[in-house]
Amino acid sequence: MEEKIIAKIEEYDYIAIYRHVNPDFDAFGSQLGMYDMIKATYPDKKVFLCGDFSSELVKKYTVVFEHQEVDYTKDILGIVLDTANIERIDDQRYQLCKEIIKIDHHLVVDSYGTLNYEDSSASSASQLVGTIFKDTAMKITKSGAEALYLGIVGDTARFMYRNTDERTFAVAGALVQEGIDIVEIYNRIYMKKAKDLQINKFILNNHQFDGGVAYYVLSDADLKMLEISRERGSDFVNLLSGVEEYKIWMALTENVADHNWRVSLRSRDYAVNKVAEKYNGGGHMLASGAKLASLEQLGQLLQDLKEIINE
């Protein structure tokens, strides 16, 4: 598959790279890593990065790029990364591309590509992009290697999740050989600010526990009081991990713009993705996202989660 992807890239002078909405470290890492690889290997190609880049996470990456509008009057090859279904692609103009390459590590929902590189056993989309680099003659800069490493670390929680295997470490090793500083990368991800301790305090003091499910709720007023974005509010979900009694843990954050509540679900052992799918979401077995139209649905969500614990 890697050689087929490269052959398709070589056919096009114009390439647009996409990823999912509400991007995380892996979404940005795989997107920026692929961008860097193509520019380093084929400097004459015109490569576009698509989607919203207002996230605070963008500052964690050092890949230099120009955010330009895609000229869809040209024959465009679209590359969509880390996105299982077409509804979550950030910038629906991807449909104007002549051909699509899908590279994703989620459970298969939509095989929407002309080429589909789908491997749900992989730790991350960044691992799949890194595999292309490792196993072919594609080039990459230090910044591109850092982006892919950030993506892998973000989706494996520093190589702690079960989807980490020998392939993950092989790709990480190839990226380290490009001269990246892993300590500096970890500092970019995990270094806290003093106000983060106040956010931790608020969550720990106000989180709830119900039948094996631990959770916290951040209303729009809470987010404003804590001076964090809706997206940042979900980032603290793993503050509730590592507690023996907490079988499933989750964050609920109010999304005023879309008039709903975003849910981030995590577990060590239980298939939370099955529940997430009932609430306009999905994802990995042990890490998924969902949406509630209102907090009135929270009781039913808790009941569904407790049922999978007690099965």
Side-chain angles (χ1 to χ4, degrees):
M1 179 58 74
E2 289 90 346
E3 294 297 340
K4 289 182 180 179
I5 290 171
I6 291 174
K8 189 61 65 178
I9 289 172
E10 290 180 343
E11 289 180 25
Y12 284 82
D13 294 324
Y14 298 89
I15 300 169
I17 306 178
Y18 307 80
R19 38 90 187 135
H20 62 73
V21 296
N22 300 313
D24 55 9
F25 280 113
D26 187 33
F28 278 132
S30 58
Q31 185 185 32
L32 292 169
M34 177 61 79
Y35 173 89
D36 184 87
M37 280 171 47
I38 295 173
K39 292 297 292 183
T41 309
Y42 310 102
D44 293 331
K45 291 186 183 295
K46 188 73 172 178
V47 187
F48 303 90
L49 287 169
C50 301
D52 181 14
F53 279 82
S54 63
S55 169
E56 298 171 5
L57 294 184
V58 174
K59 292 181 286 188
K60 309 289 185 181
Y61 300 85
T62 60
V63 173
V64 177
F65 64 92
E66 292 183 56
H67 200 189
Q68 298 178 316
E69 285 294 316
V70 180
D71 182 358
Y72 287 103
T73 65
K74 308 289 187 182
D75 287 341
I76 307 290
L77 173 65
I79 301 177
V80 185
L81 298 145
D82 197 33
T83 311
N85 53 313
I86 57 177
E87 292 82 5
R88 297 200 71 227
I89 299 173
D90 193 351
D91 193 338
Q92 288 293 304
R93 290 177 297 174
Y94 82 92
Q95 299 172 75
L96 299 175
C97 294
K98 185 174 181 180
E99 293 188 278
I100 297 288
I101 296 173
K102 175 191 178 187
I103 301 176
D104 186 45
H105 72 120
H106 295 90
L107 295 173
V108 177
V109 178
D110 299 325
S111 294
Y112 49 77
T114 311
L115 289 176
N116 295 291
Y117 186 11
E118 300 163 316
D119 184 354
S120 60
S121 70
S123 72
S124 54
S126 294
Q127 176 183 314
L128 296 177
V129 176
T131 299
I132 297 172
F133 162 69
K134 180 177 73 71
D135 293 346
T136 70
M138 292 284 279
K139 300 176 183 177
I140 199 167
T141 71
K142 180 181 175 183
S143 291
E146 289 175 348
L148 294 179
Y149 195 89
L150 269 164
I152 293 171
V153 168
D155 255 25
T156 63
R158 289 176 285 185
F159 306 97
M160 291 194 301
Y161 292 161
R162 287 197 179 99
N163 57 359
T164 304
D165 58 23
E166 67 277 5
R167 298 170 301 169
T168 315
F169 288 111
V171 170
L175 298 173
V176 169
Q177 288 181 340
E178 296 303 306
I180 66 175
D181 183 340
I182 62 173
V183 173
E184 192 269 336
I185 290 173
Y186 287 135
N187 285 339
R188 282 192 229 167
I189 301 176
Y190 299 110
M191 185 69 70
K192 295 181 178 66
K193 293 184 178 179
K195 77 170 187 178
D196 290 339
L197 299 180
Q198 296 304 312
I199 299 169
N200 290 357
K201 176 182 175 181
F202 182 88
I203 290 172
L204 291 174
N205 283 340
N206 291 281
H207 81 284
Q208 304 292 316
F209 179 60
D210 184 351
V213 182
Y215 64 96
Y216 65 84
V217 178
L218 294 178
S219 67
D220 186 59
D222 294 328
L223 295 169
K224 288 176 179 176
M225 181 269 293
L226 295 170
E227 299 181 337
I228 56 174
S229 66
R230 203 291 308 162
E231 293 79 11
R232 183 76 176 123
S234 298
D235 289 346
F236 294 86
V237 63
N238 281 324
L239 190 62
L240 303 180
S241 67
V243 179
E244 183 177 354
E245 293 85 355
Y246 296 178
K247 310 301 181 184
I248 295 172
W249 54 99
M250 64 178 174
L252 296 96
T253 53
E254 187 175 10
N255 187 343
V256 173
D258 294 336
H259 307 289
N260 60 28
W261 291 75
R262 294 298 303 271
V263 183
S264 294
L265 286 161
R266 301 291 186 269
S267 178
R268 289 181 295 276
D269 303 297
Y270 298 95
V272 294
N273 63 308
K274 298 300 182 183
V275 174
E277 289 167 6
K278 295 175 62 176
Y279 296 88
N280 300 304
H284 302 291
M285 184 176 78
L286 304 179
S288 290
K291 299 175 186 176
L292 302 183
S294 74
L295 276 187
E296 293 179 2
Q297 293 181 278
L298 175 57
Q300 185 59 54
L301 172 60
L302 286 169
Q303 185 60 39
D304 290 340
L305 293 171
K306 287 185 286 186
E307 284 182 8
I308 66 171
I309 292 173
N310 295 323
E311 284 177 353

